[in-house]
Amino acid sequence: MTTVSSVAATLTPKPPHYWLGLLLTFLAPGAGFTYLNRFPMHVAWLATMYGVGFAVINWGNAGQVLACVAIAFMLMHYRDTYAKERAQGWTREALSPRMKWGIVGAHLLLSLLLQLTVLVTSVIPGLLSAREEAQSAGINAYVMGVYMTVYAESLNGKAKGGDCFANYPDMTAPRSIASCAVDVSNPARPILTVTTRSGEVITRP
């Protein structure tokens, strides 16, 4: 009898791991339900979260609050479903491992591709825009600083013409500036010309 019991225990399917399913549900909305052999619930939550994503895009802060609430309900639903299946002894007909992990893997891959798409279409352009604004601010600050110094020197007749980098080494120029020159052919009205590496020419006054 002991031998038969041992063999039966060995053949008993191993129950799903709770935390693995919870992680799958969070990473790919609803995927944990397929892990529990509840594929229709996976589809339902996937559709629901796509609807919530639309709300996030169009409703701003209200959409973000809705997303947090939806995620919380989804995870609680997974918890309750897991508890129900465990109480029933995992008697539900199981999906084949190949089908189950094929569905979960495909969803994880699609989620990754979607996140990369969002990153490329929104986050990266935002970062590039912020970088351009920072470079523009740095250029403007340098131009203003050099011109104010040149103008102050011109009042005493001491304005220095030529290369700004050589004449005003204490003023660190941004890397985005290719050249800077001062024209003092009219000492009373010096002209500053700055050229950026992108080809933009800035003159003062």
Side-chain angles (χ1 to χ4, degrees):
M1 295 296 293
T2 302
T3 303
V4 173
S5 299
S6 299
V7 172
T10 302
L11 297 176
T12 301
K14 185 177 181 180
H17 194 286
Y18 175 81
W19 293 107
L20 175 58
L22 189 69
L23 179 62
L24 291 173
T25 301
F26 182 77
L27 294 178
F33 292 97
T34 290
Y35 179 60
L36 298 182
N37 303 306
R38 291 290 196 99
F39 178 66
M41 289 184 180
H42 181 172
V43 175
W45 273 112
L46 178 60
T48 299
M49 295 309 291
Y50 270 113
V52 170
F54 179 81
V56 170
I57 295 173
N58 293 278
W59 295 359
N61 291 335
Q64 294 179 4
V65 172
L66 177 62
C68 292
V69 172
I71 291 173
F73 271 104
M74 180 177 63
L75 296 179
M76 287 189 293
H77 186 200
Y78 169 82
R79 178 199 62 190
D80 295 342
T81 301
Y82 186 94
K84 181 178 179 180
E85 293 295 329
R86 182 175 59 184
Q88 294 176 352
W90 310 106
T91 56
R92 183 175 300 276
E93 183 179 356
L95 298 172
S96 68
R98 179 177 297 179
M99 177 180 292
K100 176 186 295 186
W101 291 111
I103 293 171
V104 172
H107 191 173
L108 287 171
L109 179 60
L110 290 175
S111 295
L112 177 60
L113 292 176
L114 179 61
Q115 292 174 15
L116 290 176
T117 300
V118 172
L119 179 66
V120 171
T121 59
S122 61
V123 177
I124 293 179
L127 292 175
L128 293 176
S129 178
R131 180 184 177 186
E132 290 176 358
E133 291 178 1
Q135 287 180 345
S136 179
I139 291 171
N140 289 334
Y142 178 77
V143 170
M144 183 60 68
V146 172
Y147 183 73
M148 292 300 293
T149 301
V150 171
Y151 184 76
E153 291 179 348
S154 70
L155 296 178
N156 299 322
K158 298 181 179 180
K160 298 185 288 291
D163 186 8
C164 306
F165 301 156
N167 294 334
Y168 306 101
D170 293 338
M171 295 187 179
T172 303
R175 294 182 178 179
S176 51
I177 292 180
S179 64
C180 176
V182 177
D183 180 1
V184 291
S185 55
N186 181 358
R189 191 176 183 274
I191 298 176
L192 174 67
T193 302
V194 174
T195 303
T196 67
R197 296 191 184 280
S198 63
E200 181 185 3
V201 178
I202 303 171
T203 59
R204 294 289 185 278

